[in-house]
Amino acid sequence: MIKTNQLTKVFRTDEIETKALNKVNFEVSKGEFVAVMGPSGCGKSTLLNIIGLLDNPSGGQYFFNGVEVSRFREKQRTSLRKGNIGFVFQSFNLIDELTVYENVELPLLYLKTRGSERRKKVTTILDRMKISHRSKHFPQQLSGGQQQRVAVARAVVMDPMLILADEPTGNLDSQNGEEVMKLLEELNHEGTSIIMVTHSPTHAERAQRIVHLFDGHIVTENIRSKR
């Protein structure tokens, strides 16, 4: 489903050129759960941004479902992201002015989903994430764990084929972090592909494969299990 070939990303200023990714070859199969690890600044988030079609590489190729997308314009990337890719961030990225229900509903509005179907999808996913009792609350009224459950609900309400999670447990205590990991595992068992950036070796062990990045290179890959 995901394949990169000699993927490179260079950031330039007037005085400095930084190579965030250096000829990275990376593949993720449909239904796979992959953890990406490495020290800060090694290129993990850059790789995730390119895979999530938030940015284009400086060089190399990126294939999404067999389509070469590395030179797509912003409008093309946005169109492909809709309904296909869900994002879960460390900082939750909820909209403070919207209620829990409205935050989760937002991706469906972008997809122009009909009202009755939107209500059904949002209600179902809020129930599943055990956050329906907070549907009329605003993000500031929630705990960190509750906010992350809302963020996961927003990411999966449109049934994406791929979820990208960037340090999804980084701002959570151990109990709430465990809840989020269980949710990701459940979604993966149902067929959703997941790529998760993490600094936690314990959480990385939950993935089927662990990829280690260092200075923009993939240095090791460990297969945890096959299903």
Side-chain angles (χ1 to χ4, degrees):
M1 185 179 72
I2 297 293
K3 182 178 180 180
T4 72
N5 179 36
Q6 300 288 291
L7 199 70
T8 301
K9 182 65 178 181
V10 179
F11 295 102
R12 294 183 177 89
T13 65
D14 291 339
E15 299 178 354
I16 300 174
E17 178 178 289
T18 303
K19 190 169 285 188
L21 296 175
N22 191 1
K23 298 181 179 180
V24 171
N25 297 318
F26 179 64
E27 292 188 35
V28 177
S29 302
K30 184 177 180 180
E32 193 174 11
F33 187 170
V34 179
V36 180
M37 301 190 73
S40 298
C42 71
K44 302 186 301 296
S45 293
T46 300
L47 178 62
L48 215 62
N49 285 341
I50 292 174
I51 290 173
L53 301 168
L54 298 174
D55 198 4
N56 279 340
S58 305
Q61 296 174 300
Y62 170 32
F63 296 88
F64 185 88
N65 265 355
V67 179
E68 214 285 298
V69 299
S70 61
R71 295 295 174 264
F72 270 25
R73 297 180 183 274
E74 174 58 29
K75 188 174 181 180
Q76 293 173 295
R77 296 202 308 267
T78 300
S79 178
L80 187 56
R81 277 198 306 270
K82 289 180 180 178
N84 288 316
I85 304 175
F87 296 88
V88 181
F89 301 97
Q90 177 178 353
S91 55
F92 316 136
N93 283 14
L94 301 176
I95 299 174
D96 289 339
E97 295 75 20
L98 299 182
T99 65
V100 164
Y101 185 99
E102 291 166 340
N103 266 282
V104 175
E105 182 186 34
L106 199 58
L108 300 176
L109 291 173
Y110 290 145
L111 290 173
K112 298 180 179 179
T113 305
R114 291 183 179 180
S116 58
E117 187 178 353
R118 283 203 315 272
R119 286 190 292 274
K120 181 179 178 181
K121 283 179 173 288
V122 174
T123 301
T124 298
I125 200 65
L126 288 178
D127 284 341
R128 179 176 180 183
M129 298 297 159
K130 300 177 182 177
I131 201 71
S132 57
H133 62 295
R134 296 285 198 172
S135 63
K136 295 181 180 180
H137 288 72
F138 292 91
Q140 307 97 305
Q141 298 173 298
L142 307 179
S143 68
Q146 290 171 333
Q147 289 188 60
Q148 193 62 295
R149 288 206 295 274
V150 176
V152 173
R154 182 185 57 188
V156 304
V157 71
M158 56 186 179
D159 298 318
M161 64 176 66
L162 174 66
I163 290 178
L164 301 178
D166 194 354
E167 295 284 358
T169 63
N171 284 336
L172 303 178
D173 59 32
S174 58
Q175 181 178 344
N176 284 310
E178 177 64 18
E179 286 186 15
V180 169
M181 288 306 304
K182 286 181 178 178
L183 288 172
L184 293 177
E185 284 183 312
E186 287 176 12
L187 293 166
N188 179 243
H189 289 157
E190 293 169 6
T192 305
S193 303
I194 297 175
I195 303 174
M196 177 183 69
V197 164
T198 182
H199 279 105
S200 169
T202 302
H203 291 161
E205 292 284 337
R206 311 282 277 272
Q208 299 162 18
R209 181 159 53 101
I210 304 174
V211 173
H212 292 266
L213 279 178
F214 187 78
D215 285 349
H217 297 273
I218 291 179
V219 291
T220 60
E221 292 191 45
N222 301 320
I223 297 175
R224 305 302 307 167
S225 64
K226 295 182 179 180
R227 301 179 204 172

